[in-house]
Amino acid sequence: MSSESNQYPAEFLLHHARISPELKTIAQKIFESERLTPDEGLLLFEKAELPFLGMLANYEREKRHGDKTFFNRNFHIEPTNVCVFSCAFCSYSRVYKHREEGWELSADQMMEIVKKYDDQPITEVHIVGGVHPRLNLQFFCDLIRRIKAHRPELHVKGFTAVELDYMFRKAKLSVAEGMRTLKEAGLQSMPGGGAEIFHPDIREKICADKVDAEGWLHIHETAHRLDMPTNATMLYGHIENYVHRIDHMERLRALQDKTHGFNAFIPLKFRNQNNDMSGVKESGIVEDLKMYAVARLFLDNFPHIKAYWAMLGRQTTQLTLAYGVDDVDGTIDDTTKIYSMAGAEEQHPGMTTEELVRLIHRAGRKAVERDTVYHELRDYSLEATPSDQPVNT
Ligand code: V47
Ligand code: SF4
């Protein structure tokens, strides 16, 4: 594959006998960089076959990024898994009264984690966890200040809108005041968690008690207005249907039109172990690839579509690189438990930079290390690949 392949086979799709006129119209719109309507997004989910979706999503991906596939060097801090909420899909949290079954890290313990990476060229710490009733805004501002004092160049990305909504309400601050306070302490960006599915019919069933769609979007909008970039996720492949997925992406697309503050959209595949939705089957690989492809085509104002390899597994992640994905998150270094507790293939997610680069190159793409805000730090495709690597990886 190469970036020259942008001319590719528009004609082939537009003249293929098996492709319906409606799908050809959609293909034409993609080739002419026109926005898809929600109905067209739905049609892609419902009627388009995987090879068609793959071709279009790959066309769009290569038009934007060529073969580049981004990753960063990061680690996570999960301050606690004690949580005041009880999302049905969550395998990770423990309620306060059973907190002895979970963990709560002190600020000193978290600083020990940060210091462990002192001699490594890590660029980002990703802080996310349960919503603990006793860990407040002040605690996290102090933690961020300590991290920045210790290692000023380390980018601090932290807290889902769910954690922030609770922190701000407890501190009796408006969202704008709370976000400003965190920014002054050194918070630089936010991850995309907590979005789940915005549509109230589904949200009520899977996470009724936490911040709703409007609250989530308001927090991200406020971050964007303070020049803080954020990501957006969607938990897919459980009890939602395609209408809910399109509704979710449509709300994100509308906010992005206003602020341009989102960097990446991350579809998160629902994993069904050790949670209250264990009876719900997980999606198969065809459905996963369709999800990434439709996201790439529908979210025309999102620069990046990310496959979070720790959750999806390495091989599916490689495949997604041909279905619209241009980012695979980071090295992680076995510092997150959210997915291993929910049954992901990766029980101790962590890859060396060399492994991550090899994973990307074996899929026929170019590995580019980025920082959190997508400044390119190093293009590994320009470096010689050691010839003694086994070919079956
Ligand atoms: O909000 C929880 C999800 C999210 C399950 O922004 C589950 O760069 C699947 O948002 N099956 C947190 N998913 C993780 C997250 C994230 C991860 C990596 C990178 C970024 C980023 C964000 O994990 C939660 C929830 O949607 N989650 N339980 C489960 N059983
Ligand atoms: Fe708490 Fe987040 Fe788990 Fe929901 S998904 S129960 S908010 S840790």
Side-chain angles (χ1 to χ4, degrees), residues 29-71:
K29 285 180 88 170
I30 296 295
F31 298 135
E32 290 171 8
S33 300
E34 275 182 51
R35 174 165 282 191
L36 302 185
T37 65
D39 281 347
E40 288 166 337
L42 205 53
L43 196 79
L44 285 178
F45 270 132
E46 284 173 348
K47 296 275 160 60
E49 290 174 4
L50 191 62
F52 173 86
L53 278 175
M55 279 221 173
L56 275 189
N58 193 49
Y59 166 87
E60 188 59 37
R61 182 249 202 251
E62 290 188 357
K63 189 173 87 185
R64 291 163 185 264
H65 305 294
D67 282 334
K68 286 180 184 169
T69 298
F70 300 100
F71 71 96

Side-chain angles (χ1 to χ4, degrees), residues 144-276:
I144 297 167
R145 276 192 213 97
R146 283 182 70 181
I147 295 173
K148 293 303 280 185
H150 178 73
R151 192 165 171 178
E153 81 290 358
L154 188 66
H155 180 110
V156 180
K157 165 171 148 192
F159 312 115
T160 63
V162 176
E163 294 167 274
L164 296 182
D165 170 68
Y166 187 83
M167 261 186 238
F168 299 161
R169 282 191 288 116
K170 273 222 127 167
K172 299 196 175 10
L173 291 180
S174 70
V175 170
E177 288 164 339
M179 288 307 304
R180 260 198 303 275
T181 308
L182 281 165
K183 187 176 165 144
E184 277 160 22
L187 186 70
Q188 289 160 286
S189 68
M190 274 174 65
E196 322 311 357
I197 288 282
F198 289 144
H199 197 290
D201 290 354
I202 301 298
R203 206 166 181 88
E204 246 163 48
K205 294 194 177 104
I206 65 170
C207 55
D209 51 358
K210 70 187 188 187
V211 67
D212 63 10
E214 289 69 30
W216 190 100
L217 291 162
H218 177 55
I219 289 176
H220 282 255
E221 177 166 1
T222 308
H224 298 171
R225 303 231 180 263
L226 291 170
D227 283 331
M228 216 189 264
T230 74
N231 290 334
T233 58
M234 176 170 76
L235 181 71
Y236 75 91
H238 44 92
I239 58 166
E240 88 291 1
N241 62 37
Y242 293 142
V243 172
H244 304 121
R245 293 189 197 176
I246 291 292
D247 171 78
H248 190 94
M249 291 193 282
E250 174 63 2
R251 295 185 203 220
L252 291 172
R253 195 169 72 168
L255 177 55
Q256 180 75 330
D257 277 343
K258 280 171 43 183
T259 63
H260 304 285
F262 288 116
N263 272 332
F265 178 65
I266 313 162
L268 293 172
K269 175 193 174 92
F270 164 67
R271 309 303 307 233
N272 69 3
Q273 284 187 28
N274 307 315
N275 58 44
D276 291 345

Side-chain angles (χ1 to χ4, degrees), residues 10-18 24:
E11 293 74 22
F12 166 74
L13 286 179
L14 296 176
H15 298 109
H16 196 298
R18 270 184 47 201
K24 283 182 183 162

Side-chain angles (χ1 to χ4, degrees), residues 315-326:
Q315 296 187 11
T316 307
T317 299
Q318 284 179 307
L319 279 178
T320 64
L321 302 183
Y323 289 81
V325 167
D326 65 280

